[in-house]
Amino acid sequence: MKTDQPNSEKAPIVRKNFPVLEMTCAACAISVESTLKSVDGVKDAGVNFANQDAWVSYDPSVTGPEKFQTAIRSIGYDIVITEDNQQQVKEEAQLKHYAFIKQRTIWSSVLSVPIVIIGMFFMDIPYANYIMLVLSTPVIFYFGKSFFITAWKQAKHGKANMDTLVALSTGIAWLFSCFNTFFASFWHARGLHAHVYFEAAAVIIAFISLGKLLEERAKSNTSSAIKKLIGLQPKTVTLVLSNDETMEVPVAAVEKNAIILVKPGEKIPVDGSVINGSSFVDESMITGEPVPVEKKADDKVFAGTINQKGSFRFRAEKIGSETFLAQIIRMVEQAQGSKAPVQKLVDKIAGVFVPVVIGISVITFLAWTFSGADNAFTHALMNAVTVLVIACPCALGLATPTAIMVGIGKGAENNILIKDAESLELAHKINAIVLDKTGTITEGKPEVSDMIFSEWTNEKKLQSILLAIETQSEHPLAEAVVRFLDKENIEKISVEKVESITGKGIMAVYEERLYAVGSPSMMKENKVAIDDVLQKNITSLQQQAKTVILFSEDKTAKALIAITDKIKTSSKQAIDELSALGIDVYMLTGDNPQTAKAIADEVGIKTFRAEVLPSEKGEFIENLQQAGKTVAMVGDGINDSHALALADVSIAMGKGSDIAMDVAKMTLITSDLTSIPKAIRLSKTTVATIKQNLFWAFIYNLIGIPIAAGLLFPINGFLLNPMIAGAAMALSSVSVVSNSLRLKFSSL
């Protein structure tokens, strides 16, 4: 469960997720959602039928989970409000519900078979109607009682759902059949045969139960990605005690700073840092890279990764919901529970669907009653029942969320974390993509390749000053300089009046002299003199795709530092794939034009901008949008966060900053850029599946309901049997879910 609480004393709004129990159709989700929204203190709420979850934003000083539960229970459903083991409680409830539906399906089918045989072939045997009455009654009112209970609770609140349709249709058919059994003379006196429809009422319950059973089984497969992620968490850990003895404890008992022993083949339980020992760890679940990563003292380890060869001890730093794996699971859960824009329209339709169907059923009954046809009343009743039975709001309700759930799960399996359904739906429209250079196209592991000082300088002293300044900079290039100088055994000193100039460099004072480290353009702006030797080296190094920064004393350049950052092996392939998809690719970098051009040429990017400040990245995105482009931004640093926030679809590299990942709608866990075209292809496939699902759901109802009402009768005398209608209704939901599940096997 995640809680978000903005810093506002006036409105300390809290958002929490709750598993919802007992929902049977899309209209149920609409009822639960509207009920939650009606609770005093609730600002907003949403319910996802496919993954049986609700989220609520509310003012905790006015309301709380207990009030939500009371309101939901009053309309026949329930929510899990305990924070401990929510997923487990939800799964147990789902298993119990599945077992109930399975039992209902088996027994209603067993009892329905003899009813059908008698009703179809042995109507003339003694007491046939009474036998069918006895057999159908437990099917309708015991195994089918949940339909009536829920329908009644809904009716008390002026609501209706699929259970309302089932209860009305089977109840009316059974009551009419009872009347014809006990008062057959009423019809005989009017020259009509007293038809009974016990078999139709019983088989409707059996077929709908079978459909729900298949649907529940299929829906459980849509959340397989979550189950796989949860399965990466070990259940127990080996804790190292203060006396150096070990003890096995549940992972939930681990506290921060605990020392944990990991043996070969074991899964790492929480995030932390190695304190002694060494090994190779399979981190493919995080990075997507199949090659094991060596771990030694001070290296970070992550929950869910697998230790391979050696044993080591590490200190727990992030536990429970703080671990990287837990964050991934939470992101996938929230994304699967989010609604795509198209779903909002579908929800509105599903919300009025049941009342409209009841209205059509009443019109059908009246039209047939006064039609003047033979057995008009019997036809009127049966066609009205058939309309109620064949209508299926579930197919509509499941069309979008099941495809979204499978699509987001498929993304997670391919190291693409998608935060919400909207970004997944929108990604297929991308026609312009903007890539940051450092850490996105390149590996983001800058290394100093050259450090050249001008003549007649005290290199050792300048190196000490340079180290002191760069130590206080947060720029990744500064880290490369610090790593390089740390190996040189440089004397440590302190500098004063440190000032960082965003996107350009850093300045400081030492012994009343002003020193600066920054780009050549910054030096030019500050009118720093650069001698011919340094200038020649700058040009040469930039042509080799190296980034050059200068170090100046007062107004004179004293040294240049060349930094190289290898281009990722996947960058060119990814850019070629994006171009093949018809997407314009742009590169933005704060680097100099020569280095930017060399890298752009190497990876096949035709349009790039160099020496771009963070604010200018955002302006570039806005300019593309104003030109009618649907823009994706890919970045990994804090300086990319503004541009990420402005983009239509924002994608963060998983190895980047937490801020970039928080802002972005998608996160690539792996550093492999080919995940971007994969994400776009996944979006295209998911949206195509949603459209297919909605098409079949609408067509099914648009064709099925008029036929059930008897539209074909004047043409060819065809009337749809309520039993066949029940089977068709059940199969419509199953077909939609099954079509969504095809996504699992699609190639990206």
Side-chain angles (χ1 to χ4, degrees):
M1 179 187 293
K2 184 178 179 181
T3 302
D4 299 318
Q5 188 164 333
N7 294 323
S8 172
E9 292 181 8
K10 291 183 181 178
I13 303 304
V14 170
R15 172 175 163 143
K16 289 187 179 181
N17 287 4
F18 304 96
V20 185
L21 311 179
E22 313 295 338
M23 288 196 301
T24 59
C25 73
C28 299
I30 302 294
S31 295
V32 173
E33 186 172 309
S34 61
T35 301
L36 285 170
K37 286 179 177 177
S38 69
V39 176
D40 287 342
V42 171
K43 303 301 179 185
D44 198 8
V47 178
N48 185 294
F49 173 50
N51 70 357
Q52 306 279 297
D53 268 344
W55 60 265
V56 189
S57 292
Y58 64 96
D59 182 345
S61 65
V62 177
T63 189
E66 291 78 12
K67 290 184 180 178
F68 307 153
Q69 190 176 56
T70 302
I72 297 307
R73 283 177 173 174
S74 72
I75 58 168
Y77 309 104
D78 201 358
I79 59 171
V80 180
I81 60 172
T82 55
E83 297 198 19
D84 297 329
N85 303 318
Q86 264 200 349
Q87 193 67 29
Q88 185 180 338
V89 172
K90 179 181 171 181
E91 285 180 8
E92 286 174 358
Q94 286 173 338
L95 286 171
K96 186 178 177 182
H97 183 58
Y98 181 80
F100 165 73
I101 295 174
K102 188 175 181 180
Q103 183 189 49
R104 185 176 75 188
T105 304
I106 292 169
W107 282 106
S108 58
S109 300
V110 166
L111 292 172
S112 295
V113 169
I115 303 172
V116 171
I117 293 171
I118 294 170
M120 295 293 186
F121 308 108
F122 300 102
M123 274 300 297
D124 297 327
I125 65 171
Y127 306 107
N129 286 2
Y130 293 97
I131 294 170
M132 289 191 289
L133 170 61
V134 170
L135 291 173
S136 65
T137 301
V139 174
I140 307 297
F141 298 108
Y142 181 72
F143 297 111
K145 67 180 178 182
S146 61
F147 295 114
F148 292 89
I149 292 169
T150 306
W152 173 245
K153 287 182 177 178
Q154 290 283 306
K156 285 196 298 183
H157 290 80
K159 300 178 185 293
N161 64 3
M162 192 194 77
D163 291 342
T164 307
L165 300 180
V166 176
L168 279 173
S169 58
T170 55
I172 290 168
W174 185 85
L175 286 170
F176 181 59
S177 299
C178 285
F179 179 87
N180 289 0
T181 298
F182 294 114
F183 305 103
S185 58
F186 175 85
W187 300 106
H188 294 161
R190 289 161 177 78
L192 298 173
H193 182 71
H195 292 282
V196 294
Y197 297 94
F198 291 119
E199 78 281 5
V203 171
I204 287 167
I205 297 289
F207 271 136
I208 290 172
S209 297
L210 176 61
K212 295 305 293 181
L213 187 71
L214 295 173
E215 184 187 305
E216 288 295 322
R217 183 179 291 177
K219 274 165 54 183
S220 69
N221 288 331
T222 63
S223 58
S224 59
I226 288 285
K227 291 174 183 174
K228 286 178 184 176
L229 288 169
I230 292 172
L232 292 171
Q233 297 173 309
K235 298 290 185 287
T236 59
V237 303
T238 304
L239 206 61
V240 181
L241 305 177
S242 56
N243 57 7
D244 214 34
E245 291 183 3
T246 59
M247 180 175 67
E248 195 168 281
V249 299
V251 69
V254 175
E255 297 179 351
K256 283 186 180 180
N257 296 317
I259 307 301
I260 297 167
L261 172 65
V262 184
K263 300 171 187 173
E266 290 185 344
K267 290 176 182 175
I268 294 168
V270 295
D271 295 358
S273 296
V274 177
I275 53 175
N276 61 51
S278 63
S279 182
F280 284 85
V281 174
D282 177 0
E283 292 189 338
S284 56
M285 58 77 62
I286 291 177
T287 63
E289 306 294 338
V291 180
V293 180
E294 184 179 4
K295 297 292 179 182
K296 51 189 185 297
D298 297 329
D299 286 343
K300 299 286 183 185
V301 291
F302 301 95
T305 56
I306 303 169
N307 183 30
Q308 293 202 326
K309 294 184 178 178
S311 295
F312 61 87
R313 296 181 180 188
F314 76 96
R315 187 183 307 280
E317 294 174 346
K318 292 183 179 180
I319 60 174
S321 61
E322 297 175 350
T323 68
F324 187 63
L325 177 60
Q327 289 171 15
I328 292 174
I329 292 170
R330 186 162 60 247
M331 283 173 68
V332 174
E333 283 179 331
Q334 289 181 345
Q336 288 189 330
S338 63
K339 290 183 181 179
V342 69
Q343 180 66 17
K344 293 171 185 175
L345 173 63
V346 175
D347 282 350
K348 287 180 182 177
I349 294 169
V352 299
F353 186 88
V354 175
V356 167
V357 169
I358 293 171
I360 293 171
S361 177
V362 171
I363 292 168
T364 300
F365 177 81
L366 295 173
W368 273 97
T369 300
F370 298 106
S371 66
D374 292 338
N375 298 321
F377 184 79
T378 301
H379 288 322
L381 189 66
M382 281 301 96
N383 288 335
V385 166
T386 306
V387 168
L388 293 173
V389 170
I390 202 168
C392 186
C394 293
L396 283 173
L398 288 167
T400 302
T402 52
I404 291 292
M405 284 181 70
V406 177
I408 286 170
K410 178 86 174 174
E413 290 171 6
N414 284 274
N415 302 304
I416 305 162
L417 289 183
I418 300 166
K419 277 190 182 178
D420 61 28
E422 185 174 359
S423 59
L424 179 62
E425 186 183 331
L426 190 60
H428 80 287
K429 296 180 180 177
I430 292 169
N431 51 23
I433 190 161
V434 179
L435 304 174
D436 175 49
K437 176 179 77 71
T438 306
T440 302
I441 294 173
T442 63
E443 290 183 354
K445 297 175 182 175
E447 298 290 339
V448 173
S449 62
D450 305 86
M451 187 173 285
I452 301 169
F453 287 85
S454 59
E455 294 180 321
W456 320 111
T457 58
N458 183 343
E459 286 188 20
K460 287 293 181 185
K461 179 182 178 183
L462 287 175
Q463 283 180 334
S464 292
I465 298 168
L466 177 60
L467 177 60
I469 294 172
E470 291 289 69
T471 300
Q472 299 198 45
S473 173
E474 294 180 354
H475 199 283
L477 297 185
E479 292 176 19
V481 175
V482 171
R483 283 196 303 272
F484 179 81
L485 292 174
D486 275 342
K487 297 174 186 175
E488 302 293 315
N489 197 24
I490 303 297
E491 180 189 354
K492 300 290 193 298
I493 61 170
S494 297
V495 291
E496 302 170 339
K497 299 179 181 176
V498 178
E499 181 186 356
S500 181
I501 303 163
T502 304
K504 294 182 179 180
I506 188 169
M507 305 174 81
V509 172
Y510 180 71
E511 292 182 348
E512 298 184 0
R513 287 181 178 272
L514 179 65
Y515 292 89
V517 185
S519 63
S521 61
M522 173 186 163
M523 298 299 170
K524 189 176 180 181
E525 284 177 17
N526 291 330
K527 298 179 180 178
V528 171
I530 305 171
D531 65 38
D532 292 342
V533 175
L534 285 181
Q535 189 61 61
K536 187 177 178 181
N537 278 302
I538 290 169
T539 305
S540 172
L541 291 165
Q542 286 178 342
Q543 287 171 350
Q544 297 172 43
K546 293 181 179 179
T547 300
V548 175
I549 56 176
L550 291 170
F551 176 41
S552 67
E553 180 185 77
D554 290 332
K555 293 290 182 179
T556 305
K558 293 294 182 180
L560 69 78
I561 302 102
I563 296 173
T564 182
D565 188 4
K566 289 181 183 177
I567 295 172
K568 293 175 185 173
T569 54
S570 63
S571 292
K572 181 164 176 44
Q573 180 189 341
I575 289 159
D576 288 344
E577 287 183 29
L578 289 167
S579 299
L581 289 169
I583 297 170
D584 297 330
V585 183
Y586 304 87
M587 182 183 79
L588 299 184
T589 178
D591 215 334
N592 65 81
Q594 293 89 342
T595 302
K597 184 177 187 307
I599 288 174
D601 289 344
E602 191 169 337
V603 296
I605 293 177
K606 295 176 183 176
T607 310
F608 67 89
R609 298 283 186 277
E611 297 181 341
V612 178
L613 298 174
S615 60
E616 293 171 340
K617 288 183 180 182
E619 289 172 12
F620 187 80
I621 298 287
E622 288 177 326
N623 290 337
L624 288 175
Q625 289 170 329
Q626 287 167 6
K629 299 280 190 183
T630 301
V631 185
M633 170 70 194
V634 186
D636 73 322
I638 294 171
N639 62 337
D640 298 320
S641 56
H642 176 57
L644 286 168
L646 289 172
D648 298 297
V649 178
S650 46
I651 305 171
M653 308 303 291
K655 291 288 186 178
S657 74
D658 289 343
I659 293 174
M661 285 188 280
D662 283 344
V663 171
K665 294 294 178 68
M666 293 186 184
T667 299
L668 307 181
I669 304 174
T670 173
S671 59
D672 189 342
L673 270 191
T674 55
S675 293
I676 298 171
K678 278 184 183 179
I680 293 168
R681 285 192 291 267
L682 175 63
S683 172
K684 288 180 186 290
T685 310
T686 304
V687 169
T689 302
I690 290 170
K691 288 178 179 176
Q692 291 163 11
N693 287 349
L694 288 173
F695 172 79
W696 288 114
F698 276 112
I699 285 296
Y700 165 83
N701 284 296
L702 286 172
I703 294 175
I705 292 174
I707 290 174
L711 190 68
L712 296 179
F713 185 76
I715 302 168
N716 58 13
F718 177 79
L719 288 175
L720 189 63
N721 188 305
M723 291 186 292
I724 305 301
M729 190 278 275
L731 289 173
S732 65
S733 295
V734 176
S735 64
V736 162
V737 178
S738 300
N739 189 47
S740 295
L741 287 173
R742 289 191 310 112
L743 267 171
K744 292 179 71 173
F745 309 105
S746 61
S747 58
L748 300 179

